[in-house]
Amino acid sequence: QVQLVESGGGLVQAGGSLRLSCAASGRTFGYYHMGWFRQAPGKEREFVATITWNGGSTYYADSVKGRFSISRDNAKNTVYLQMNSLSPEDTAVYYCASAPLGHSGSLLHRTVYDSWGQGTQVTVSS
């Protein structure tokens, strides 16, 4: 497993942008697929975006497609989530998570991820 620490959250006005970062410890970061999830008050944690171990494939929730972009830098052990055109509906705690190579199941499902960060709050004001 890897240890994950998110940063970059904050308060932003609707239409604004934020970039979240997730720093991973350990030398095996490149052997993990990485995902971003979010959880709004009173709601379940939901999938936002994921990127495969080598950055070759990315997938997004329909609600963020075209606005958010996930990327990774394996040399820096970091995954990013660039969020543009933010709306109040994007307000949530954002979590990064890692899924090992050879996992079973879809990377869109939180159950395949075995390490999670502590989360970073994103608040979008109208």
Side-chain angles (χ1 to χ4, degrees):
Q1 293 188 342
V2 295
Q3 285 72 50
L4 305 170
V5 178
E6 302 96 334
S7 62
L11 174 64
V12 63
Q13 289 189 332
S17 298
L18 282 175
R19 188 174 84 152
L20 306 183
S21 299
C22 173
S25 64
R27 296 177 294 175
T28 59
F29 176 73
Y31 294 146
Y32 290 86
H33 309 299
M34 298 298 297
W36 285 97
F37 290 75
R38 67 186 181 186
Q39 188 167 17
K43 295 187 177 181
E44 291 196 356
R45 193 170 299 188
E46 65 175 4
F47 167 77
V48 175
T50 189
I51 186 167
T52 53
W53 66 278
N54 62 352
S57 296
T58 58
Y59 304 93
Y60 298 91
D62 288 342
S63 59
V64 307
K65 204 170 294 184
R67 300 187 298 123
F68 290 12
S69 177
I70 188 170
S71 61
R72 67 189 295 161
D73 185 339
N74 285 355
K76 296 182 178 180
N77 282 10
T78 303
V79 62
Y80 305 97
L81 185 68
Q82 177 67 43
M83 306 186 295
N84 300 326
S85 302
L86 285 162
S87 72
E89 289 69 36
D90 296 314
T91 294
V93 177
Y94 283 70
Y95 299 89
C96 71
S98 63
L101 298 183
H103 67 90
S104 61
S106 169
L107 286 174
L108 277 61
H109 296 160
R110 62 182 182 180
T111 55
V112 306
Y113 295 85
D114 62 0
S115 291
W116 293 81
Q118 83 289 348
T120 186
Q121 176 71 47
V122 172
T123 303
V124 185
S125 63
S126 58

